Amino acid sequence: MATLQVRDSGLTFDFYVGDRMKVTIGRNDTCDVTIEDEQASRVHCEITRGEEGFVLADLGSSNGTHVNGRPAKRHALRSGDTIGIGKATLKFDDPNEAVRPPALAPPPGPTPTPVVRWTAPEGEPRPPGRRLGGRRRGPDPLLVGGLGAMVLLIVAIVLVLNVRGAKAREGGEAIARAKALVRDHRDYRGAIEALRRVPSNAPDEVQREARSLREEWSKRIAPASEAVETPAATAAPTPAEPVAAPAPPATDAASRALAEADKSAADLRAANRFGDALALYKSFLDRHAGTPAADEAKSRSADILKLAESEWKRRHARAGDLWRARKFQEAREVYLGVIETFNLPDITRLAQKEIQFVNDVENQ
């Protein structure tokens, strides 16, 4: 099945051509592949399927279409060709492009081995071991069986390693996300929540690291009940010692408001409600523009977008595995979950297109 690997405005996704006879590309939402780049025309170009394969044609765009870095009005696409529209790129791949050579006539069968017999002269006994040639022996059944068992064992080992590697990657991503929350925001509660995404069947070393981090960060979250006030009688200084004046608050109103926003945003990030978290920081920027805390809020917003993109890629890959396994309803539910929780227009548009693609594949 031919595919287009699209890289546009920091996002990467695959568009599956399927059995479509024509694919339109441009900025207009009605195009099959929507490009956000400002240099793209509304209907920039199209790819059509014909007897000679797939052909790219520019539709009179303002800034032109490039193939492998060269301007092109019409071009017969081959696997590996890269289509350039402004800063966006679309890499074409067609695994069915190679044509198999015609089948060759089967070679003639083996020439039978002649059997040479020696005939003793009349009256003389036939000496032993004089017969030459004879019927050829087939392969040893024990050897064939042993080789088959070895191949099955190798396949089983490869499958186990692939599953183990997938769980290790999933657990590693959860741990990396938790560390980022602690490093950038000192959000220990959100980090502990992120560690819950480590699979229960992840490798032992991943489980040990997650358990160690969870124990360490839990100690840093002191419950309110542990705060004990010192009795006034014991805390009062002696008359000979002067009492120090209380220190002024270390943060201003904007910093306190940012701390409250960070606490609420951490819960939203843990629930993958990235759009709501961004709206929270946008409201803060509207009220505290021009303050030093505003720059920190902008940095928090950029981190949320990175987390959203990483989570989208993970769920998109999961949905791809599901529809390839003919589990179309489960794949749709993955994309619907993205639409309901992320609340980000760009990713919502991508998820809606993927749902339509899953429907097309199911109806084929």
Side-chain angles (χ1 to χ4, degrees):
M1 180 184 297
T3 60
L4 291 170
Q5 186 183 56
V6 183
R7 294 179 180 271
D8 176 35
S9 302
L11 293 177
T12 301
F13 61 92
D14 292 337
F15 177 84
Y16 297 89
V17 178
D19 58 354
R20 295 179 176 86
M21 299 302 295
K22 181 173 72 173
V23 176
T24 56
I25 305 170
R27 279 194 300 114
N28 201 323
D29 289 340
T30 60
C31 292
D32 297 312
V33 181
T34 304
I35 300 298
E36 301 292 340
D37 194 280
E38 296 180 354
Q39 299 185 30
S41 299
R42 292 184 179 275
V43 183
H44 196 98
C45 60
E46 67 179 11
I47 299 174
T48 56
R49 185 201 304 262
E51 296 181 356
E52 299 178 356
F54 293 91
V55 178
L56 170 71
D58 185 271
L59 300 179
S61 61
S62 301
N63 297 303
T65 306
H66 295 73
V67 178
N68 299 328
R70 297 182 179 180
K73 292 290 185 181
R74 184 178 179 84
H75 180 81
L77 292 174
R78 296 291 182 268
S79 279
D81 284 351
T82 300
I83 304 169
I85 300 176
K87 295 181 181 180
T89 60
L90 301 88
K91 187 174 181 181
F92 178 76
D93 180 44
D94 183 9
N96 298 325
E97 177 182 297
V99 180
R100 296 183 179 179
L104 301 177
T111 304
T113 303
V115 178
V116 181
R117 298 180 182 276
W118 179 83
T119 304
E122 185 178 356
E124 293 186 8
R126 176 178 177 179
R130 298 290 296 183
R131 181 172 179 176
L132 303 177
R135 183 176 299 176
R136 293 184 178 180
R137 298 180 59 186
D140 189 349
L142 293 177
L143 178 61
V144 174
L147 291 175
M150 185 178 297
V151 170
L152 292 177
L153 178 61
I154 293 174
V155 171
I157 292 174
V158 171
L159 292 176
V160 171
L161 292 178
N162 285 341
V163 172
R164 180 182 175 87
K167 296 301 180 182
R169 285 193 298 272
E170 186 176 352
E173 290 176 359
I175 291 175
R177 186 179 307 158
K179 289 182 177 178
L181 289 174
V182 172
R183 181 184 65 249
D184 298 337
H185 310 296
R186 299 296 179 185
D187 183 7
Y188 295 104
R189 295 184 186 276
I192 292 175
E193 183 67 24
L195 288 178
R196 294 180 180 178
R197 297 180 177 274
V198 176
S200 59
N201 54 350
D204 294 339
E205 56 271 18
V206 177
Q207 294 281 6
R208 283 195 298 270
E209 182 179 4
R211 186 164 50 251
S212 175
L213 291 173
R214 189 181 299 109
E215 293 174 355
E216 177 185 352
W217 293 339
S218 298
K219 295 177 182 178
R220 296 175 181 264
I221 304 175
S225 60
E226 293 182 2
V228 180
E229 296 182 358
T230 304
T234 59
T238 61
E241 297 179 0
V243 179
T251 58
D252 56 10
S255 299
R256 289 195 298 271
L258 179 60
E260 294 177 0
D262 287 340
K263 183 177 179 180
S264 300
D267 296 334
L268 294 173
R269 286 197 307 270
N272 292 325
R273 295 170 57 187
F274 303 109
D276 296 338
L278 287 176
L280 190 66
Y281 284 119
K282 183 179 184 302
S283 175
F284 173 84
L285 290 172
D286 292 340
R287 290 182 285 109
H288 300 282
T291 63
D295 294 334
E296 297 183 19
K298 293 178 182 178
S299 176
R300 307 280 203 281
S301 299
D303 292 340
I304 290 174
L305 287 175
K306 291 179 181 178
L307 286 174
E309 182 179 356
S310 177
E311 182 66 15
W312 159 251
K313 291 179 179 178
R314 188 185 71 82
R315 295 201 186 190
H316 181 46
R318 170 61 179 161
D321 294 338
L322 289 172
W323 71 256
R324 292 187 187 92
R326 313 296 294 179
K327 298 179 180 180
F328 300 108
Q329 182 58 32
E330 295 182 27
R332 281 191 289 266
E333 290 176 356
V334 171
Y335 290 124
L336 289 173
V338 169
I339 295 173
E340 293 174 358
T341 58
F342 280 35
N343 196 19
L344 293 173
D346 291 341
I347 294 182
T348 295
R349 185 165 54 252
L350 293 176
Q352 290 172 342
K353 289 187 176 181
E354 293 300 329
I355 290 175
Q356 182 60 46
F357 169 73
V358 172
N359 293 338
D360 294 342
V361 174
E362 184 179 16
N363 294 331
Q364 287 180 354

